[in-house]
Amino acid sequence: MPVQTPDASGDASMDARIDCSPETEWLYYEYEWGDMRGETGCVSAAFSEHQWESPNRTAPARRVYIGYRGEAARDSTRRGLPSGICGAALVLENLPLVSDTGGGLVDATDVTGDGHDPNAYVLLLYEESTITGEECDGELRSARLRGGQWFIRVGADVGDFVRAEARDVMFEDVRGRSVFFPEMHWQARVDEPIVFR
């Protein structure tokens, strides 16, 4: 679990980092990329939920996304990740935000069905460019997820904070090296869903 005022070893600038306090929305990752190891520190996070009610849809009935907010949402260099790794977020489909639930993560490309199946995955985007200053400015690629577990530590309704976690999250080759997240943590306030009819 993240400490209250972490000393981030990633690239996040001070104005994108916040305290991992019970009153703020944050995400916090520990990562390993080849022989590079570090942590993001607490970065401002945001919750969004979309629901689809049309019976003819291919989208899930409910998708929750916990990713970046503010400066971190606009600028990949403020996310505390190594240069070239552009961002990571948690996605939950058709899963209730109930305390002490969890399961295995799946790769997003393996999600099939009629949109009603429960799925959980972590998205990791990266850039093939190795030119300093141009990472994450071009065509982003989605890394293939190879394993991991997700957990809802504290469930929530609209207006409350949900606490989610993932452990042992492994992605295959990203510019020649696998990416491993021993721990990933999210705390975000649950907003009203955006409903498509």
Side-chain angles (χ1 to χ4, degrees), residues 99-135:
S99 298
D100 301 319
T101 56
L105 292 167
V106 300
D107 185 73
T109 60
D110 293 333
V111 173
T112 60
D114 61 2
H116 291 278
D117 294 334
N119 293 293
Y121 47 94
V122 173
L123 294 174
L124 178 70
L125 299 177
Y126 70 98
E127 166 70 86
E128 287 288 357
S129 173
T130 58
I131 301 171
T132 303
E134 294 186 10
E135 302 94 334

Side-chain angles (χ1 to χ4, degrees), residues 1 24-25 48 50 56 64 69 73 88 103 120 136 140 148 166 170:
M1 177 178 289
T24 58
E25 296 176 280
S48 66
H50 293 85
N56 299 321
V64 166
R69 179 187 299 279
C136 304
L140 301 184
M170 175 69 77

Side-chain angles (χ1 to χ4, degrees), residues 15-30:
D15 60 351
R17 278 189 251 143
I18 58 172
D19 288 339
C20 288
S21 72
E23 295 81 28
T24 58
E25 296 176 280
W26 47 263
L27 57 82
Y28 172 97
Y29 306 151
E30 294 179 5

Side-chain angles (χ1 to χ4, degrees), residues 20-196:
C20 288
S21 72
E23 295 81 28
T24 58
E25 296 176 280
W26 47 263
L27 57 82
Y28 172 97
Y29 306 151
E30 294 179 5
Y31 61 82
E32 299 175 14
W33 188 27
D35 57 3
M36 184 183 301
R37 288 170 173 72
E39 60 188 44
T40 61
C42 289
V43 178
S44 188
F47 175 101
S48 66
E49 179 179 342
H50 293 85
Q51 295 179 8
W52 289 266
E53 295 185 349
S54 168
N56 299 321
R57 61 180 161 64
T58 56
R62 177 186 194 211
R63 178 182 288 143
V64 166
Y65 177 93
I66 307 177
Y68 302 95
R69 179 187 299 279
E71 292 297 316
R74 292 185 287 274
D75 184 348
S76 64
T77 65
R78 301 184 184 216
R79 296 175 187 168
L81 295 167
S83 180
I85 297 182
C86 304
L90 176 67
V91 180
L92 302 171
E93 294 182 347
N94 304 316
L95 289 163
L97 301 177
V98 176
S99 298
D100 301 319
T101 56
L105 292 167
V106 300
D107 185 73
T109 60
D110 293 333
V111 173
T112 60
D114 61 2
H116 291 278
D117 294 334
N119 293 293
Y121 47 94
V122 173
L123 294 174
L124 178 70
L125 299 177
Y126 70 98
E127 166 70 86
E128 287 288 357
S129 173
T130 58
I131 301 171
T132 303
E134 294 186 10
E135 302 94 334
C136 304
D137 289 336
E139 182 179 344
L140 301 184
R141 298 175 184 262
S142 183
R144 183 152 180 84
L145 181 72
R146 287 302 186 195
Q149 298 286 316
W150 65 275
F151 308 92
I152 300 295
R153 295 303 188 195
V154 177
D157 294 317
V158 173
D160 298 325
F161 284 114
V162 63
R163 286 283 307 273
E165 181 180 315
R167 292 191 175 271
D168 303 322
V169 181
M170 175 69 77
F171 292 90
E172 72 178 20
D173 234 21
V174 173
R175 289 171 31 186
R177 297 173 285 177
S178 62
V179 180
F180 178 62
F181 292 91
E183 294 188 26
M184 305 180 86
H185 300 268
W186 298 269
Q187 175 172 287
R189 191 178 302 279
V190 176
D191 293 328
E192 291 282 355
I194 297 171
V195 179
F196 300 95

